[in-house]
Amino acid sequence: MSSFDFNRHTTREGTYSVQYEGTEKLFGTDGLEPFWIADMDIETPGAVQEAMKRRIDNGIFGYTKWQNPKFYEAVKGWWHRRFGIVLEDDEIHYAPSVMFTVGEAVRQFSEEGEGVILTMPSYNAFIGMVKGNGRKIVDCPLLENDDGWQFDFDHFEALCSREDVKVYIHCNPHNPTGRVWKRDELEKIREICLRTGVFLISDEIHMDFVRPKGQFVSMVELMADGDPMLVTTGLGKTFNLASIPHSYFITRDKALQKKIARNIASRYGMGAANSLALEAIHAAYTECGSWVDGLNSHIEENMQLVEDYITEHMSEWLDFKKPEATYLAWISFEKSGLADEEVHKALVDIGGIAVSPGHIYDMKKNRHFRFNVASSRHRVEDGLERIYRTFKKITKSTVQ
Ligand SMILES: Cc1ncc(COP(=O)(O)O)c(C=O)c1O
């Protein structure tokens, strides 16, 4: 277990944090208590901070090669120890960010106007990325039953069989629902994509937040030589490094890897690595496994707190079951009968809280919000009280 105190408060004042200072655009105001964007109110581990400081002490930040044994060994070691997966150097490629790689694969495998499948709800940046590249969103809604969120294979297969559909962006673990896809589900998805010629992108950036960790199956495990697919991930979520841009992707399709590498270098001029990110990756992946385990225990406790609090105080209005993964609680207010706009306005006006409105993940009306629990227990309690005050007040005023 880590000795790190995950409840410690660290100010973000003066850091231009989007979480704290970027609420105006989505919520119409600032000064809200924020639980929305997916970063943590928890410091990156000391070993990672120290590694970056040592690199800073060198004082020279010239062009830096990611193709080095320190990078490869760190990534391979992490995947082997955490997931039992053996990777080869030439299967791993550094890239500027996860969303860069998602966008580049979309551009490589589809033309403007063609379709990209997203499960709905879907991470909102996927929606923006598909639209921003002039592609068409083809939605494959997840189905919800008593066992949680389910993949609709029949619908997916029908969509993949369409002439105009070229790419599927899979998210595992899934943001925002927290669903971890099982091996047999991944096998079916892979098989359908291969058979119908749909390129498969598996975004696994939340892979380290699976509880218990042994439950995670990466698409890498099913990837054969030459398969038209890639897995993209990074340390932005796990180690709270979103502002130190970096990521890496894994593919066994050599031609694809070359094409993406060529574009990164020659089309976008981004072939060099971020020198601080490389140090962070090495320290995090070689020294911080027990920190991640401790962090997951903390998040599990916070998720349990959310579940218990909702059961005890808000079960009239809200439904929530702890997810198997991520630090994001996807909470339904369907049973309150309240309208989407009303709830989100009230959360801001009455609760003074910023939680992500469900409709940004769904494009349509959606009676959910996403509550980020990667904070101290105290902050999560405060957030829950704000949500309680909000619902208490609006349900009362609706009834009168
Ligand atoms: C599923 C998913 N992919 C990608 C990202 C962002 O990754 P990056 O900052 O490396 O583009 C996020 C951030 O929330 C995410 O949830």
Side-chain angles (χ1 to χ4, degrees), residues 167-168 170 189-190 193 198-202 219 228-230:
V167 178
Y168 167 49
H170 185 61
I189 290 168
R190 171 181 175 272
C193 287
V198 167
F199 187 81
L200 175 56
I201 302 169
S202 183
M219 198 56 95
M229 62 171 74
L230 65 76

Side-chain angles (χ1 to χ4, degrees), residues 383-399:
L384 288 167
E385 279 157 24
R386 287 167 185 270
I387 295 167
Y388 173 76
R389 272 207 306 279
T390 307
F391 276 90
K392 180 110 188 131
K393 182 124 190 236
I394 39 173
T395 46
K396 213 164 164 201
S397 57
T398 310
V399 169

Side-chain angles (χ1 to χ4, degrees), residues 54 149 235-236:
R54 280 195 300 275
W149 294 91
L235 291 74

Side-chain angles (χ1 to χ4, degrees), residues 105-362:
V106 164
R107 288 185 290 275
Q108 294 262 351
F109 289 93
S110 63
E111 301 293 333
E112 284 205 17
E114 289 184 325
V116 176
I117 301 176
L118 296 179
T119 51
M120 291 294 173
S122 170
Y123 170 45
N124 56 320
F126 292 157
I127 296 172
M129 176 63 73
V130 174
K131 284 190 188 161
N133 280 284
R135 271 61 173 174
K136 188 171 55 188
I137 293 169
V138 176
D139 50 321
C140 186
L142 297 179
L143 308 173
E144 200 181 8
N145 64 19
D146 290 344
D147 295 328
W149 294 91
Q150 310 301 331
F151 201 89
D152 185 347
F153 287 100
D154 290 340
H155 190 195
F156 181 67
E157 181 158 4
L159 296 176
C160 285
S161 307
R162 269 170 43 179
E163 268 296 296
D164 60 333
V165 169
K166 304 293 178 189
V167 178
Y168 167 49
I169 306 176
H170 185 61
C171 191
N172 184 28
H174 185 261
N175 175 7
T177 65
R179 178 72 153 75
V180 180
W181 304 106
K182 298 200 165 47
R183 184 182 299 272
D184 61 327
E185 293 171 318
L186 297 175
E187 275 165 358
K188 271 199 216 166
I189 290 168
R190 171 181 175 272
E191 189 278 318
I192 293 169
C193 287
L194 288 181
R195 180 159 43 82
T196 55
V198 167
F199 187 81
L200 175 56
I201 302 169
S202 183
D203 178 336
E204 302 185 358
I205 196 170
H206 295 275
M207 67 188 189
D208 296 311
F209 291 106
V210 175
R211 297 175 294 273
K213 69 180 173 215
Q215 222 173 283
F216 177 65
V217 181
S218 168
M219 198 56 95
V220 171
E221 281 195 49
L222 313 182
M223 202 187 263
D225 274 347
D227 274 358
M229 62 171 74
L230 65 76
V231 166
T232 171
T233 190
L235 291 74
K237 304 288 143 209
T238 315
F239 296 96
N240 213 14
L241 295 167
S243 65
I244 313 278
H246 76 280
S247 73
Y248 59 93
F249 67 90
I250 298 166
T251 182
R252 296 191 169 127
D253 177 343
K254 294 283 174 303
L256 163 69
Q257 196 192 101
K258 266 203 195 115
K259 252 175 154 177
I260 296 186
R262 201 170 47 231
N263 275 359
I264 291 177
S266 313
R267 188 171 192 180
Y268 308 110
M270 300 174 98
N274 179 320
S275 51
L276 289 183
L278 286 187
E279 293 304 323
I281 292 169
H282 184 261
Y285 273 2
T286 57
E287 298 178 55
C288 300
S290 62
W291 182 89
V292 173
D293 295 339
L295 174 61
N296 270 299
S297 303
H298 176 76
I299 288 166
E300 183 69 12
E301 283 167 20
N302 282 353
M303 285 290 186
Q304 189 63 55
L305 169 67
V306 176
E307 193 180 294
D308 293 346
Y309 189 99
I310 288 179
T311 307
E312 207 173 312
H313 305 287
M314 298 195 271
S315 59
E316 249 179 282
W317 318 307
L318 305 184
D319 275 312
F320 174 69
K321 256 209 220 125
K322 269 188 317 186
E324 308 157 281
T326 78
Y327 52 71
L328 308 163
W330 183 239
I331 300 173
S332 164
F333 54 89
E334 182 73 44
K335 66 155 81 131
S336 73
L338 295 165
D340 182 39
E341 306 78 27
E342 187 184 2
V343 168
H344 291 295
K345 189 173 176 322
L347 284 164
V348 170
D349 295 346
I350 302 167
I353 185 175
V355 289
S356 302
H359 58 76
I360 69 171
Y361 304 94
D362 216 4

Side-chain angles (χ1 to χ4, degrees), residues 26-27 35-37 330 344 354-361 368-371:
L26 187 58
F27 302 94
F35 298 86
W36 61 295
I37 205 166
W330 183 239
H344 291 295
V355 289
S356 302
H359 58 76
I360 69 171
Y361 304 94
H368 284 82
F369 56 87
R370 199 189 73 174
F371 178 58

